Amino acid sequence: MAHASEGRGQEFRLPDLGEGLTEAEIVRWLVEVGDVVAVDQPVVEVETAKAMVEVPCPYGGVVTARFGEEGTELPVGAPLVTVAVGTGEDGAAPAAGTQAAASAAGESRVAESTGAASTGGESRIAEPVAARAEAAGSGNVLVGYGTSEAPARRRRVRPGPRAGTGAVARTNGRVRVAGPADGPADGSADGPVESSVDGPVPVISPLVRRLARQNDLDLRELTGSGPDGLILRADVEYALRASAAQGGRAADHAARTGRAPVTAPTAPASATTPGAPRSGTVRTPLKGVRGAVADKLSRSRREIPDATCWVDADATGLMRARTAMNASGGPKISLVALLARICTAALARFPELNATVDTEAREIVRLDDVHLGFAAQTDRGLVVPVVRDAHARDAEGLAAEFARLTEAAHEGRLTPGELTGGTFTLNNYGVFGVDGSTPIINHPEAAMLGVGRIVAKPWVHEGELAVRQVVQLSLTFDHRVCDGGTAGGFLRYVADCVEQPAVLLRTL
């Protein structure tokens, strides 16, 4: 990768986004090679398992290189862009040489550092792009995370050429190792060789390893398209598609000629090729938000011995109280805000449910502050924004925060910090028109309150049959943190507050 002659080349790497995130997918580039960027200007929009984030660059200057196309997954610490910065104290790019830098960057391409053969049979190894700059950045890469040095990644050693192995054929950046009996692709007797058996496999993401393992794909037969030959999810999916297409071509040839395709005795039929699409099926990768939700819910089911109790409650009194609040003027109070206020009052009486379990220490950790999560369905999937310090907010404050977080969720603007750290979750699945549910606890929390739809039903009120607004409440709890008596007491208190909101006056 060539850099501009003027100024220093600063390599900006994908920062640690925090909250256990190890990779991100490039959604949209906000700059082109040759563009002049200012300090803290966003250069790329990435999607993590928790949110979409615009990543600002801490350097100002001319963009001389971009690493990765849109849709590519990059691990934390991988290069994002290279910026040619000026030598002045302000760190700005020099006025002269801007076009030269853009031209040099546009005409240069970096050779792959995997030692794989090129078309002409010559092996090239790229030189390191640039040394890591010592100059400090702006300190504002992501709000709340800073520009501290990204954790060093271990350099993976690629096996060197050895005699006795098959020739290497390259197709679209992938490497296939032919068997010893096969000759080189061009028919010559000599050519570069590469071992596909020895040495570590350049894979960081456990999701990539699992995808390959589930489809019986040998990662040693691939050459990654990521930095330093890193194998990405896209490389594995490409190999699976190529395998399926090869099987389809063999079947089509057999149909035209009437001859069965010639295969090795141990090779499976194309209809059972791992990863091959079957007729009438659609495969959707578990990635992004959907993948994060799947992992968390699966872990919850594995680790938490949950139990559920439920009760019907007459919500007529709560609905009338809300109507009276909103009729008095001021900001409108939402129903979920009133339910959240009831939850915080109930957790004050039954703090055992505002807890988590430390499995390694075999301890129950009771938490003082209530950070209340609430389930929100968006176009990107289910997310659980968190209202910080919900126990310290009144109904009006809770309503405002719920409105803000809900709007951010639908617009995809939630930050990782707004999606993590919850201690208890409120799940209002009544908006989907259902009465009840047995929700899965949001790991590592200990409980979740579910609220069904509020619907008119016949109800015995003050000794007479009447039509009342009835709701079903359910509590799913971790049986390790408490017994049924505590869970039942919590749910009964919530139901009492729903039926008679004046009960809350005792704790206000």
Side-chain angles (χ1 to χ4, degrees):
M1 180 67 67
H3 295 277
S5 58
E6 294 90 347
R8 302 188 306 275
Q10 300 282 14
E11 187 178 73
F12 173 47
R13 298 174 179 266
L14 179 64
D16 182 1
L17 303 179
E19 306 297 346
L21 301 175
T22 60
E23 57 191 10
E25 178 179 336
I26 297 176
V27 176
R28 181 167 58 99
W29 282 106
L30 305 178
V31 295
E32 300 288 343
V33 173
D35 286 355
V36 178
V37 296
V39 173
D40 287 342
Q41 176 180 335
V43 294
V44 66
E45 184 179 40
V46 301
E47 180 178 16
T48 70
K50 299 182 183 297
M52 293 181 63
V53 180
E54 288 187 353
V55 182
C57 179
Y59 310 118
V62 179
V63 177
T64 59
R66 296 188 324 190
F67 298 91
E69 300 297 328
E70 294 179 357
T72 303
E73 270 192 348
L74 297 179
V76 170
L80 276 178
V81 294
T82 301
V83 179
V85 302
T87 58
E89 294 180 357
D90 58 353
T98 299
Q99 296 298 327
S103 175
E107 296 175 359
S108 301
R109 297 292 184 270
V110 61
E112 292 184 306
S113 58
T114 58
S118 65
T119 305
E122 297 178 358
S123 176
R124 294 184 178 90
I125 300 178
E127 296 295 331
V129 177
R132 183 68 176 171
E134 297 179 357
S138 67
N140 296 322
V141 170
L142 286 178
V143 176
Y145 302 111
T147 57
S148 59
E149 184 72 17
R153 294 186 295 128
R154 294 180 298 173
R155 295 194 61 82
R156 300 177 180 271
V157 181
R158 302 287 294 174
R162 293 196 309 158
T165 59
V168 179
R170 176 175 297 278
T171 304
N172 293 337
R174 274 77 178 176
V175 172
R176 177 182 61 82
V177 182
D182 299 333
D186 59 358
S188 60
D190 57 349
V193 295
E194 179 177 331
S195 171
S196 63
V197 178
D198 300 331
V201 180
V203 177
I204 292 179
S205 171
L207 299 178
V208 174
R209 292 184 180 274
R210 183 172 62 186
L211 180 62
R213 183 171 61 252
Q214 290 174 345
N215 292 278
D216 297 328
L217 180 65
D218 187 359
L219 290 172
R220 298 180 187 275
E221 296 181 358
L222 304 181
T223 292
S225 58
D228 299 328
L230 184 69
I231 297 177
L232 307 176
R233 185 200 303 266
D235 301 322
V236 175
E237 292 174 346
Y238 175 89
L240 294 178
R241 289 195 299 269
S243 175
Q246 184 177 4
R249 287 193 298 269
D252 183 65
H253 175 75
R256 290 196 309 269
T257 62
R259 300 177 181 178
V262 179
T263 58
T266 58
S270 61
T272 58
T273 300
R278 298 181 180 179
S279 177
T281 62
V282 177
R283 290 179 174 265
T284 303
L286 282 174
K287 58 187 295 186
V289 174
R290 186 73 261 165
V293 170
D295 293 340
K296 174 163 278 195
L297 296 183
S298 298
R299 183 178 181 183
S300 178
R301 275 291 188 229
R302 287 194 308 267
E303 295 185 7
I304 299 179
D306 59 343
T308 302
C309 54
W310 57 88
V311 65
D312 290 340
D314 180 3
T316 306
L318 182 66
M319 300 298 289
R320 289 175 178 173
R322 174 173 176 262
T323 300
M325 291 180 185
N326 291 336
S328 63
K332 299 296 183 181
I333 305 298
S334 62
L335 180 61
V336 70
L338 293 178
L339 293 171
R341 183 63 188 89
I342 293 174
C343 280
T344 58
L347 289 173
R349 292 174 64 94
F350 300 93
E352 297 91 338
L353 293 172
N354 194 53
T356 186
V357 175
D358 187 339
T359 54
E360 294 185 0
R362 294 184 61 84
E363 294 177 344
I364 299 174
V365 182
R366 188 177 298 179
L367 307 170
D368 294 331
D369 298 334
V370 178
H371 303 312
L372 187 66
F374 65 99
Q377 192 70 35
T378 69
D379 294 338
R380 299 176 61 239
L382 177 68
V383 295
V384 184
V386 177
V387 177
R388 301 287 173 182
D389 300 319
H391 61 288
R393 299 175 186 262
D394 56 16
E396 189 173 299
L398 288 169
E401 187 66 1
F402 274 116
R404 185 189 70 83
L405 291 173
T406 300
E407 181 181 1
H410 287 293
E411 295 179 356
R413 295 186 290 102
L414 289 173
T415 65
E418 292 172 329
L419 288 167
T420 53
T423 63
F424 187 91
T425 296
L426 174 62
N427 188 358
N428 182 21
Y429 44 76
V431 296
F432 302 115
V434 297
D435 295 325
S437 175
T438 55
I440 300 176
I441 295 175
N442 188 21
H443 185 280
E445 299 170 11
M448 175 185 291
L449 177 68
V451 182
R453 63 173 179 166
I454 299 177
V455 62
K457 289 184 178 181
W459 188 269
V460 177
H461 177 67
E462 297 180 352
E464 296 182 358
L465 189 63
V467 176
R468 307 286 287 182
Q469 300 293 317
V470 180
V471 62
Q472 184 180 98
L473 306 171
S474 64
L475 177 69
T476 299
F477 63 98
D478 187 341
H479 227 312
R480 296 174 297 179
V481 303
C482 69
D483 297 324
T486 301
F490 176 92
L491 188 59
R492 186 64 259 172
Y493 179 81
V494 171
D496 290 343
C497 291
V498 169
E499 293 183 339
Q500 302 178 26
V503 173
L504 281 174
L505 294 176
R506 297 177 60 91
T507 57
L508 290 180

